Structures are given as C-alpha cells and as structure tokens.
Amino acid sequence: MTVVDTSRAPAQGERGSDFARLSRRIAQEGLLGKRPGYYAVRIALVAGLFAGGWAVFALVGDSWWQVPVAVLLAVAFAQVTLLAHDLAHGQISRSRRTSRIAGLLAGNLAVGLSYGWWMDKHSRHHANPNHEEHDPDVSPDVLLWSEKQAEAARGVPRFLGRRQAFLFFPLLTLEGVNLKVSSFRALRRESLKSRRVEGLLLAGHVVAYLGAVFLVLPPGKALLFLAVHQACYGVYLGCTFAPNHKGMPVLTAEDELDFLRRQVLTSRNVRGGRLVNTALGGLNFQIEHHLFPSMPTANLRRAQPIVRDYCRSLGVDYAECGLLASWGQALRHLHEVGRPLREVRT
C-alpha cells in the first residue's frame, strides 16, 4: 500500500486556508467564469464529427472500409463523452436543469452511457480520489490498485492480478461495453433520478445504434464494426482517464489530508500541446480540474502555472509528465501491486 508523506503539511489549524488563498487568486484572475464562446465552438465541432461520422458510415455502405469508419466514430463517441463530463461538472452552463437535459442527450441517447449513474460515480471519485474505501474508480472489481486489495483478492481479480499490467490495454477494449452494461444495471437503483427517462433514452440509443449498423451491413461485417467501434471507444476513454491517477498514491483511512493535498497528491498532469489537450478534453490538466471541477476546460491551461507555483511554495509535490510516461507509471504500478500474487503459487 502506498502511504502519503504528510510531514510537510501545515498544522491542523492552518488546513483549508491553503486552498482558500489559492481559490481567491484563481477567482481574481477570472478563471472560474463560464466560456460560452469556447463551448459553442467545441460543441459544434464535436456534433459535426459525430454526425459526419454517421454520414460517412451511410455513404460507405456495405464495405470493409467500414473498419476505419468504426475507429472514426469511436473518436466521436469519446469526444461526446468528454462533453458530457464537462456538463456534469457545470462547466458549460450555470443552470443545473440545462446541464442535466444536455447531459442526458449526450450521454444516454448519443453514446449509451447513463448520465445520472456516471455523474454519481464520478462525484464520489472527485470527493475522495484514489481512496481505497471511497473512490469507485479504484475498487477491486477486476484490476487491483493496492497491495491490500491484492492480499484480499479472490476469484477473477486474483487470477488477473498476477499479470494485470500486461492485460490492462486488452481489458480496456471491453470498457465501452462495460459502461453500457453498468448503465442499464443502474436503472434498478431507486436512488437514480429520472430512471424512466434514462431508461427510455438508453433503449433509444441501443435501437438506433444497432438498427443503423445492421441495416447497412450484413451480419458478419456488422459484428466486426461493433467490435472495432466499442473496442476503440473503450481504449480511448481508458487512455484518457488512466493517466490522471493510476500510479499515484493510494489513500486509506489513515491518511488525513486537507482538500488541496488530497486532490494534488493523488493527481497527475500530462504534458502536451494542442493535440493532447484536444484528445484528452483538457483532462491532462487533472490537478487543476480536481481543485476547481467547475472551471471551464479552456481556463485550465491558464490556471496551471498559478497552481503549480503555489504548490511548490507550499512544498506540495506537483506531478506532471508526458503521455507515454504517464501510461508507463500506471503500468509499473499495476505490475508492482500484482507482485505478491505472482510470488504466491496457490
């Protein structure tokens, strides 16, 4: 288990004031304000990519050239999902009702992902990132994220845990399907708001999606298209979210950290230019996003030098590296967590 060193944290009475001072500085720079122009352009581009992808699909028709079209649509689906992410955080609109309606259309109807279920799951992740007991993103469902989880693992997680670093990317090919299955399972929860609406929109997505594919393609090509599309969609999302926290410290109940340190020490930024920013939907500025989740994506880049310099002034580690290096750190962490299982022959 990774234990975070809190020796440089301020005294108990000072906790909270560090983030408050940073928050005031960020507000003074106007970085918490909405960016309607930016999102108008981004939404138009993503909608064009999504609609254009399906138009190309219809034009190509019964052809093996549908395989690259499946990859193109996987990119479009991922970009729509990233927009739904921003809607869930209130980055686009101040109106919760507007954000929810748009989120349901983008998530449930467009890509088949339950907006309400994902929003609840993601909110719990933001509240306690990389926390063994509270962050659903590091629960030992299939992969193991700490030595404690490895010791307690049984069944499939224990079997896969021995070689989980090598299985990580292959397993991501199933993530798109997993998200859809989890979305439909969530409909059974009474706590899920507007279950009937969510269910109708999810069903509408499935009918339209499968209907379009099987209407244009014969069964064999249709199944190949679905496999390639969902596999690429899952890998894209996994490669977008995994670099942000995997391989960073895993917290337990013993780690008492204030808000700023809890968010910064468990997050990692990914360096890159415009291409990386666009591909990852701004989530490469993960530290800034976790500190200010409602901040529009376009402002995260401007907030970064302020946050980085402030963390350095406090002696708080601020992690950032390239995209490939972030994947490498995540894989090395997974491999190290599975080491005890490889050493035990049972």
Side-chain angles (χ1 to χ4, degrees):
M1 181 189 307
T2 305
V3 179
V4 178
D5 180 8
T6 60
S7 59
R8 289 185 295 180
Q12 182 71 30
E14 297 177 358
R15 289 182 176 177
S17 60
D18 288 337
F19 176 72
R21 286 192 291 271
L22 174 61
S23 183
R24 285 194 295 269
R25 172 72 186 281
I26 292 294
Q28 289 171 359
E29 295 293 329
L31 298 178
L32 298 178
K34 301 305 178 187
R35 296 287 299 272
Y38 161 79
Y39 275 111
V41 173
R42 181 176 166 188
I43 291 171
L45 290 174
V46 172
L49 176 64
F50 186 83
W54 282 114
V56 171
F57 172 81
L59 289 173
V60 171
D62 183 1
S63 169
W64 292 110
W65 285 104
Q66 291 288 13
V67 172
V69 176
V71 177
L72 173 65
L73 276 170
V75 174
F77 269 50
Q79 286 294 320
V80 172
T81 304
L82 290 171
L83 273 178
H85 166 272
D86 288 10
L87 285 164
H89 281 296
Q91 295 178 21
I92 300 178
S93 172
R94 290 186 175 87
S95 170
R96 291 187 178 182
R97 184 173 183 273
T98 299
S99 296
R100 178 166 179 79
I101 292 174
L104 288 170
L105 294 175
N108 293 56
L109 186 60
V111 300
L113 172 65
S114 169
Y115 178 76
W117 163 75
W118 184 86
M119 185 176 180
D120 173 71
K121 174 177 176 289
H122 196 61
S123 296
R124 287 185 284 129
H125 156 71
H126 265 263
N128 292 282
N130 266 25
H131 195 291
E132 279 190 326
E133 288 83 17
H134 304 302
D135 184 357
D137 288 353
V138 292
S139 60
D141 293 332
V142 176
L143 298 176
L144 306 172
W145 304 105
S146 71
E147 292 184 6
K148 179 181 178 181
Q149 291 180 356
E151 292 173 357
R154 298 292 183 271
V156 173
R158 185 177 184 86
F159 175 75
L160 297 179
R162 295 184 175 93
R163 297 287 183 270
Q164 60 181 9
F166 300 98
L167 296 172
F168 180 68
F169 284 106
L171 287 172
L172 285 182
T173 62
L174 303 174
E175 182 61 16
V177 175
N178 175 56
L179 290 173
K180 285 177 170 53
V181 172
S182 297
S183 294
F184 276 98
R185 284 180 175 175
L187 296 176
R188 296 179 298 183
R189 301 178 184 175
E190 295 184 1
S191 59
L192 182 68
K193 296 180 180 179
S194 307
R195 285 191 297 168
R196 180 173 297 181
V197 173
E198 291 229 10
L200 288 173
L201 291 175
L202 286 174
H205 165 81
V206 172
V207 171
Y209 176 59
L210 295 181
V213 173
F214 282 97
L215 180 65
V216 172
L217 299 175
K221 289 179 182 175
L223 291 175
L224 176 62
F225 178 91
L226 293 173
V228 172
H229 179 234
Q230 291 300 320
C232 291
Y233 175 54
V235 171
Y236 191 138
L237 289 183
C239 290
T240 298
F241 287 94
N244 303 331
H245 300 283
K246 308 314 180 189
M248 298 303 292
V250 177
L251 305 181
T252 68
E254 300 174 356
D255 298 301
E256 298 181 2
L257 299 174
D258 68 323
F259 176 79
L260 183 143
R261 288 163 179 80
R262 185 167 68 248
Q263 303 299 334
V264 174
L265 294 175
T266 59
S267 302
R268 178 196 297 114
N269 276 14
V270 177
R271 297 192 190 99
R274 189 181 300 274
L275 178 61
V276 172
N277 294 351
T278 302
L280 302 187
L283 293 181
N284 47 310
F285 299 108
Q286 188 68 193
I287 294 174
E288 289 71 30
H289 171 59
H290 260 259
L291 288 171
F292 305 99
S294 65
M295 179 183 291
T297 296
N299 290 345
L300 295 173
R301 178 179 58 83
R302 295 170 55 196
Q304 184 195 26
I306 299 174
V307 174
R308 180 174 54 201
D309 292 344
Y310 185 75
C311 288
R312 288 175 177 172
S313 72
L314 295 176
V316 176
D317 291 340
Y318 182 99
E320 54 181 337
C321 63
L323 183 60
L324 295 180
S326 69
W327 292 343
Q329 291 179 28
L331 293 176
R332 284 192 293 273
H333 173 75
L334 286 171
H335 190 63
E336 181 60 23
V337 168
R339 180 179 54 80
L341 298 179
R342 293 190 298 274
E343 294 176 349
V344 178
R345 302 296 182 182
T346 57

